[in-house]
Amino acid sequence: MIRNRIARQVSRLNGLSLNEFDLSQPPGDPGLFGPGSMVWEVHGDFPSMLCGGIAALLLQMQHPLALAGVRDHSDFRTDLFGRLRRTSQFIAVTSFGNRQDACTLIEKVKKIHRYVTGKDPLGREYRADDPALLTWVHVAETYSFLAAHLRYKNPLLSREEQDRYYREAALTGQALGATHIPVTVTEVEEYLQAMRPQLCIDERTCEVSRLLFSAPAPSVAARPVMDIMLRAGGDLLPEWTSVPGRPPASRLRRQMTRYSMQGVAALLRWAVTDGARAKAIRRAALSAEG
């Protein structure tokens, strides 16, 4: 069946395919956010989250210290999708998992961060547990997720709902050690503008972009869909920057990418009917039934 084949292809990109956490247990546990939260609303749409995740990576890597940490302490060159799956797992479990699993994963990541230290090519020291660097990574991520949601899921999300999303999502960032996290649309926009002098696109940034855009697809049939998602992710970047190593897309090409992504998103929503949010809703609902 076509739906099942698509769902299997998608599962290969999903961090839950690692089968390390069960989002359906224990009954009644709302997790860190629970039903009705904006985190569940925004993070519950897999197509827009995947698109936003691509944008987040392309934006995060424009900070030279964030990039240095990834280059020096990860296997992204040989296992890019493995890294993306682990990131996807963290987002899924902290957003939709039970409270104990979410806290366990946060503590695991914090322990890893303590050993990620070094110097970038210019001799500047970096630490993955640096609160300011953690804030950058968090904001680049949440900004990208929300931008994708507004473009490909619900463009009518109110400003109050957007602010609420940032406030809720900041709880995870704070738990990881980030500080002074902007928690409104206005504050996030001001923060990104203030960070611009610290960002750069160089050969190392372009290398990450090349690896991402040339990464093998799960199958031949998935290649066109993956290309659309990659372009759509790059199209979500703020207007003042661009996809590293690539010329700006024309207005016509941007529109074609957006129309194509809308079609891809509809297809994936049709195929994937039991995602992280659905499992979490069933788990949390059992408390009312008990």
Side-chain angles (χ1 to χ4, degrees):
M1 186 176 180
I2 294 176
R3 173 177 279 174
N4 291 337
R5 286 204 297 268
I6 295 174
R8 284 195 297 270
Q9 295 283 336
V10 169
S11 71
R12 296 178 64 180
L13 301 175
N14 192 333
L16 296 179
S17 65
L18 298 172
N19 294 318
E20 295 175 354
F21 297 92
D22 184 357
L23 269 60
S24 68
Q25 297 296 327
D29 190 320
L32 297 181
F33 301 101
S37 68
M38 289 308 303
V39 165
W40 278 32
E41 180 70 21
V42 173
H43 293 185
D45 183 57
F46 179 76
S48 60
M49 283 295 286
L50 185 56
C51 189
I54 293 167
L57 176 62
L58 293 170
L59 184 56
Q60 287 167 347
M61 293 303 97
Q62 294 184 35
H63 192 300
L65 300 185
L67 176 59
V70 171
R71 285 174 58 90
D72 296 346
H73 296 271
S74 79
D75 54 357
F76 81 95
R77 293 180 184 83
T78 56
D79 189 21
L80 180 61
F81 279 117
R83 178 178 174 78
L84 292 176
R85 273 191 294 271
R86 289 188 292 276
T87 301
S88 171
Q89 179 195 61
F90 179 83
I91 294 165
V93 173
T94 55
S95 300
F96 299 106
N98 64 65
R99 179 173 290 273
Q100 180 176 335
D101 283 350
C103 293
T104 295
L105 197 49
I106 287 171
E107 290 304 313
K108 178 181 178 181
V109 170
K110 287 173 69 175
K111 288 181 180 178
I112 293 171
H113 283 172
R114 285 201 287 269
Y115 297 98
V116 178
T117 62
K119 294 182 179 180
D120 76 352
L122 297 180
R124 293 172 295 192
E125 294 185 353
Y126 66 81
R127 299 185 350 262
D129 61 0
D130 175 8
L133 197 56
L134 287 166
T135 299
W136 164 250
V137 171
H138 172 83
V139 173
E141 206 168 69
T142 53
Y143 167 86
S144 299
F145 291 156
L146 183 57
H149 189 84
L150 290 170
R151 181 168 295 171
Y152 294 114
K153 177 60 177 175
N154 183 9
L156 300 180
L157 211 63
S158 70
R159 180 62 70 98
E160 190 279 329
E161 290 171 317
Q162 294 176 50
D163 288 348
R164 184 153 63 91
Y165 167 69
Y166 280 129
R167 289 196 301 271
E168 292 174 3
L171 297 177
T172 304
Q174 291 165 352
L176 285 170
T179 57
H180 307 297
I181 299 174
V183 292
T184 68
V185 172
T186 299
E187 289 179 1
V188 167
E189 291 173 350
E190 291 174 348
Y191 172 84
L192 290 172
Q193 287 293 331
M195 289 296 295
R196 288 178 64 180
Q198 298 183 42
L199 309 180
C200 72
I201 294 177
D202 58 17
E203 178 52 37
R204 299 174 307 139
T205 329
C206 293
E207 178 192 18
V208 175
S209 179
R210 286 194 299 269
L211 286 169
L212 182 62
F213 279 81
S214 63
S219 68
V220 173
R223 181 77 256 175
V225 172
M226 186 170 158
D227 288 342
I228 290 169
M229 292 198 113
L230 287 165
R231 292 199 304 272
D235 182 48
L236 285 170
L237 290 172
E239 293 183 359
W240 43 262
T241 188
S242 62
V243 178
R246 291 172 176 265
S250 66
R251 181 177 179 181
L252 176 60
R253 187 169 179 80
R254 289 198 304 272
Q255 286 300 116
M256 290 176 61
T257 293
R258 295 175 189 183
Y259 287 135
S260 299
M261 182 61 209
Q262 292 283 9
V264 166
L267 176 65
L268 294 181
R269 291 179 192 124
W270 169 77
V272 182
T273 58
D274 194 29
R277 186 185 183 190
K279 290 182 174 67
I281 287 174
R282 289 198 300 271
R283 182 192 75 234
L286 293 177
S287 61
E289 296 172 3

